[in-house]
Amino acid sequence: RSSWSTPVWTLGVSGGVPGDLRNAHIFNAWLMSSAAIPAFILARRVTGRRWPAYVLAALTVCVPWIIYTTTLLTEVAGYPAFLWAFLGLQNAVAKPSRRNDALALLGLALAFFARTQLALMVLALPAALIAFELTASGSGSLPRRFGASLLRAVRVHVVLACFYAALAAYALVHGRLFALSHYGSQASINTIPPGTD
């Protein structure tokens, strides 16, 4: 029987390169297409309607980048991981709770381990929380509203506040957060190699 007709959950490592590559491509197609699930859930929550959610889920799969399923690159895992992390961030902002904060952090960790550059999503969460609280705050001067929004966000999101405090402490001790990643050397501001005249 051809391995193309084999169910994805029965695909294993055969020890032969051609067979394992074929199985990896089949798995990649399933993995990257799974991005439609968090896209559907997110659109359903935001719009409150099903048809836009189905359309967005279909469009999530019908993108030029689906060609990455034919490769063995981290982009394949990074695409659905990004959407799951984004769903976790939206959930933490819309429904504040310690559980949702922890789920958002797990989503950020998933995105980071799937594709290291997605660690930049760590900056999006506090910005979204403060913007959300800022729009919900009353009238007054912008600096006063910003300070009140920041305090309210810290008070409501204790788990996230502890995480970001630990992250800031790490940055102060080690000087830079990019040391957490193998891509840290690529984050240098100096784009000209040393010794170039």
Side-chain angles (χ1 to χ4, degrees):
R1 191 167 83 170
S2 169
S3 64
W4 288 105
S5 61
T6 305
V8 70
W9 55 86
T10 63
L11 294 174
V13 177
S14 66
V17 173
D20 288 345
L21 280 175
R22 189 181 311 110
N23 292 345
H25 293 324
I26 294 170
F27 176 74
N28 281 353
W30 282 93
L31 179 62
M32 199 161 182
S33 298
S34 71
I37 298 169
F40 174 85
I41 297 169
L42 185 61
R44 183 82 167 90
R45 285 183 182 173
V46 172
T47 64
R49 302 167 76 181
R50 283 194 176 192
W51 72 265
Y54 283 120
V55 169
L56 184 64
L59 290 176
T60 301
V61 179
C62 299
V63 292
W65 302 278
I66 204 75
I67 194 82
Y68 281 124
T69 59
T70 62
T71 65
L72 298 178
L73 296 172
T74 57
E75 282 83 350
V76 176
Y79 185 51
F82 168 77
L83 286 167
W84 280 111
F86 196 79
L87 179 64
L89 268 59
Q90 185 274 338
N91 198 39
V93 173
K95 300 173 184 176
S97 72
R98 292 185 179 183
R99 176 182 171 273
N100 289 344
D101 287 354
L103 287 175
L105 291 177
L106 285 175
L108 290 173
L110 174 69
F112 173 76
F113 288 118
R115 181 85 178 151
T116 311
Q117 289 94 332
L118 292 177
L120 291 175
M121 292 182 73
V122 170
L123 303 176
L125 182 54
L129 290 172
I130 293 171
F132 179 80
E133 295 294 341
L134 194 59
T135 56
S137 65
S139 59
S141 66
L142 186 60
R144 181 175 293 177
R145 286 173 54 213
F146 181 81
S149 299
L150 183 61
L151 289 174
R152 190 165 44 251
V154 168
R155 190 173 59 249
V156 173
H157 299 278
V158 177
V159 174
L160 293 178
C162 291
F163 170 76
Y164 281 99
L167 203 61
Y170 180 89
L172 286 174
V173 171
H174 293 282
R176 51 184 236 174
L177 291 174
F178 287 112
L180 291 170
S181 166
H182 288 295
Y183 293 95
S185 61
Q186 298 176 13
S188 173
I189 297 174
N190 186 8
T191 56
I192 300 172
T196 305
D197 293 329

